[in-house]
Amino acid sequence: MSTGDLRNIAPLLDAYLSYFEASRTPFTIPGHKQKAARLDPGLGALVDTDIPLYGGLDEIKLTNKVLTHAEKLAADLWGADFARFSTGGSTHANQAIILALGKPGDKVALSRTAHRSVLSALVLAGLEPLWLTPEIDQKTGVPIGIPLREFERVLAEKPIALLLTEPGYLGTISDISALVKRAHEVSIPVIVDAAWGGHFGFHPDLPQHVLAMGADALITSVHKALPGYSASALLLAKTQYLSAERLEQSFETTHTTSPAGALLASIDATRALLQSRGEELLGELLENIAIFIGTVESKFTQPLFLKPSDFPHGRFDPAKIVLRANQLGASGLAVEKALGTKGIRVEMADQDTVVFLATLTDSRADFEFLADGVIEIAQSLQGELRPSATALSWSVVPTVGIFMRDAYFAATELVSSTDAVGRISADLIAPYPPGVAVIAPGEILTQEIVSGLASSHKAGVRIAYATDPTLQSYRVVKK
Ligand SMILES: Cc1ncc(COP(=O)(O)O)c(C=O)c1O
């Protein structure tokens, strides 16, 4: 298929482009009517390419069922029974699926590497987490997923679902098939927040996608590993252990009633791209990444990047570029800052790691530019090699004081960081990225957590969602 043909196999993309090819005089929303440039060129540049679903991609009454058709094409491609396109990111898709699981008071087995959006969804749904701690790889210090024994440990508490985050932020993956097998033995669904794994399953050198591994639901951000519009996401599910009616209800309960057409069309176009050219494009990407890593590492005597060979077969995403700053003897945050002066922005940096997001859109020339920049900076910043330490986000084992939902709605007060030790947090606090909670509402603020957050903050990591972003004080549940 040649460039430009996608609209022939992507009904929403075709509907979007057709809208602008026809003449129109809208007396409907959106209020900008694609002619806000009349009012101001800057505003026009922002909004004049925006059309809604209702009265844009389709008639006001959705008579053409273009969205339904496009969602069916996605369901077929991923082998799902249910597919919905979200304009609210994986955040919304996580909310939708979690609201569809059970009733307030029910428990779910949940990976501690879950994104903040999952925890917020639990508060909305009234579900309580049974935390599962990831296993840490001794050699690299990175979390390598939830071991089966962790899941076994909580089964006696009768979780109604197993919720995983796969791949993790650093590209590692649990042994999903084993976890799915066990969950299905006790007749509960496995829900996977695969926000970073939208490309899985479309190249033989990549892991399969989680539905192919037997999971019951896959949530992915089309704007992360895939080239969709910001906040576009896919919710895909099989309905043996999940109810399609409840999924539909909770998806609509939490979605906007005015979804933006460009976001929806970008999901459809991305699906069509993966279907028609996914293997070819992902093959090029994987080759470019391998050349990039080889080029950089050829200048050093020690390995600098995480690689699939560091982990059991199929347990690492080869499209993930993770620089191990400790292997360089440099601070990941200093590497990030130096790269910034060259106009290179990275997805995440902490003391020991720098994560670069590479996607189908990156060209060979982009990787060459990146390699030149990384080599120069790595050579200038390298120092004494450090043993790998495990970042706070991956190492905290929570101590639950009261239910998360009770803490969320409790009367609270701000106390100094010293007085906060031993108290129950009312806030969720997470270094961002990766957005993984170091403390969640209802959990006890330990000395390790308070000191760990303070030193991450001091080192330049953005600490998100704390009521007091300086971390001088903490919002805790009143005694
Ligand atoms: C694992 C995970 N899940 C969900 C989300 C939320 O995704 P979105 O930004 O598409 O709402 C993120 C965002 O970084 C994430 O890392």
Side-chain angles (χ1 to χ4, degrees), residues 311-349:
F311 305 100
H313 180 69
R315 302 274 304 274
F316 181 74
D317 173 7
K320 201 88 193 179
I321 304 178
V322 182
L323 174 72
R324 299 169 64 194
N326 64 299
Q327 285 284 99
L328 196 61
S331 147
L333 294 151
V335 173
E336 176 188 36
K337 199 165 165 200
L339 286 168
T341 63
K342 294 182 175 297
I344 299 171
R345 294 169 67 172
V346 303
E347 184 59 37
M348 183 205 95

Side-chain angles (χ1 to χ4, degrees), residues 90 93-95 97-98 101 108-119 122 129-135 144-155 159-169 172-184 188-197 200 209-211 213-221 235-236 242 315 394 436:
S90 289
N94 278 330
Q95 281 178 5
I97 194 126
I98 287 170
L101 289 179
V108 291
L110 172 63
S111 165
R112 185 62 184 189
T113 57
H115 185 253
R116 172 212 157 99
S117 56
V118 172
L119 274 68
L122 294 185
L130 299 168
W131 290 115
L132 308 175
T133 306
E135 187 172 355
I144 47 171
I146 302 301
L148 185 57
R149 63 174 181 280
E150 259 302 273
F151 180 42
E152 295 275 3
R153 184 178 58 77
V154 302
L155 278 180
I160 59 158
L162 168 61
L163 272 57
L164 299 170
T165 308
E166 312 283 350
Y169 208 82
T172 51
I173 305 154
S174 303
D175 182 356
I176 295 178
S177 305
L179 290 162
V180 167
K181 183 166 172 286
R182 189 69 189 103
H184 287 175
I188 63 172
V190 179
I191 314 300
V192 184
D193 176 355
W196 296 94
F200 281 16
H209 63 72
V210 296
L211 293 184
M213 290 192 235
D216 301 278
L218 185 170
I219 290 101
T220 196
S221 297
L235 168 53
L236 299 151
L242 293 166
R315 302 274 304 274
W394 317 124
V436 169

Side-chain angles (χ1 to χ4, degrees), residues 255-273:
H255 204 207
T256 174
T257 50
S258 314
L263 275 75
L264 298 175
S266 80
I267 302 172
D268 187 34
T270 300
R271 185 273 312 152
L273 186 72

Side-chain angles (χ1 to χ4, degrees), residues 118-444:
V118 172
L119 274 68
S120 308
L122 294 185
V123 170
L124 289 174
L127 301 179
E128 284 301 324
L130 299 168
W131 290 115
L132 308 175
T133 306
E135 187 172 355
I136 303 295
D137 179 51
Q138 292 311 313
K139 194 174 84 182
T140 57
V142 307
I144 47 171
I146 302 301
L148 185 57
R149 63 174 181 280
E150 259 302 273
F151 180 42
E152 295 275 3
R153 184 178 58 77
V154 302
L155 278 180
E157 294 193 58
K158 302 258 177 290
I160 59 158
L162 168 61
L163 272 57
L164 299 170
T165 308
E166 312 283 350
Y169 208 82
L170 302 180
T172 51
I173 305 154
S174 303
D175 182 356
I176 295 178
S177 305
L179 290 162
V180 167
K181 183 166 172 286
R182 189 69 189 103
H184 287 175
E185 275 167 14
V186 291
S187 302
I188 63 172
V190 179
I191 314 300
V192 184
D193 176 355
W196 296 94
H199 55 309
F200 281 16
F202 293 98
H203 189 280
D205 293 343
L206 288 171
Q208 288 181 301
H209 63 72
V210 296
L211 293 184
M213 290 192 235
D216 301 278
L218 185 170
I219 290 101
T220 196
S221 297
V222 184
H223 64 102
K224 287 189 159 71
L226 298 174
Y229 219 104
S230 286
S232 58
L234 256 171
L235 168 53
L236 299 151
K238 290 191 199 159
T239 50
Q240 187 182 354
Y241 294 96
L242 293 166
S243 150
E245 289 76 29
R246 279 202 65 181
L247 281 172
E248 185 63 25
Q249 181 195 35
S250 60
F251 187 94
E252 288 299 337
T253 302
T254 43
H255 204 207
T256 174
T257 50
S258 314
L263 275 75
L264 298 175
S266 80
I267 302 172
D268 187 34
T270 300
R271 185 273 312 152
L273 186 72
L274 282 176
Q275 192 160 2
S276 56
R277 297 180 58 208
E279 187 166 335
E280 166 210 334
L281 295 171
L282 284 162
E284 279 170 25
L285 174 66
L286 294 176
E287 192 187 333
N288 283 337
I289 290 175
I291 294 172
F292 161 78
I293 289 181
T295 308
V296 176
E297 288 195 339
S298 70
K299 308 287 179 196
F300 298 86
T301 49
Q302 70 280 30
L304 291 184
F305 294 92
L306 290 180
K307 301 195 187 65
S309 55
D310 291 323
F311 305 100
H313 180 69
R315 302 274 304 274
F316 181 74
D317 173 7
K320 201 88 193 179
I321 304 178
V322 182
L323 174 72
R324 299 169 64 194
N326 64 299
Q327 285 284 99
L328 196 61
S331 147
L333 294 151
V335 173
E336 176 188 36
K337 199 165 165 200
L339 286 168
T341 63
K342 294 182 175 297
I344 299 171
R345 294 169 67 172
V346 303
E347 184 59 37
M348 183 205 95
D350 61 18
Q351 184 64 10
D352 280 353
T353 41
V354 183
V355 179
F356 303 81
L357 176 68
T359 73
L360 303 179
T361 62
D362 295 312
S363 66
R364 180 68 58 91
D366 292 326
F367 282 105
E368 284 167 0
F369 183 72
L370 181 64
D372 290 345
V374 170
I375 290 168
E376 187 192 318
I377 286 159
Q379 284 175 335
S380 72
L381 292 179
Q382 74 178 317
E384 279 288 284
L385 263 66
R386 294 190 302 276
S388 49
T390 300
L392 193 61
S393 299
W394 317 124
S395 58
V396 165
V397 179
T399 317
V400 176
I402 60 173
F403 285 155
M404 187 156 52
R405 189 179 165 94
D406 290 344
Y408 190 90
F409 292 109
T412 62
E413 59 185 338
L414 270 177
V415 298
S416 74
S417 57
T418 325
D419 292 344
V421 174
R423 298 286 300 271
I424 292 174
S425 179
D427 277 345
L428 182 152
I429 306 179
Y432 207 108
V436 169
V438 164
I439 186 93
E443 293 174 2
I444 297 178

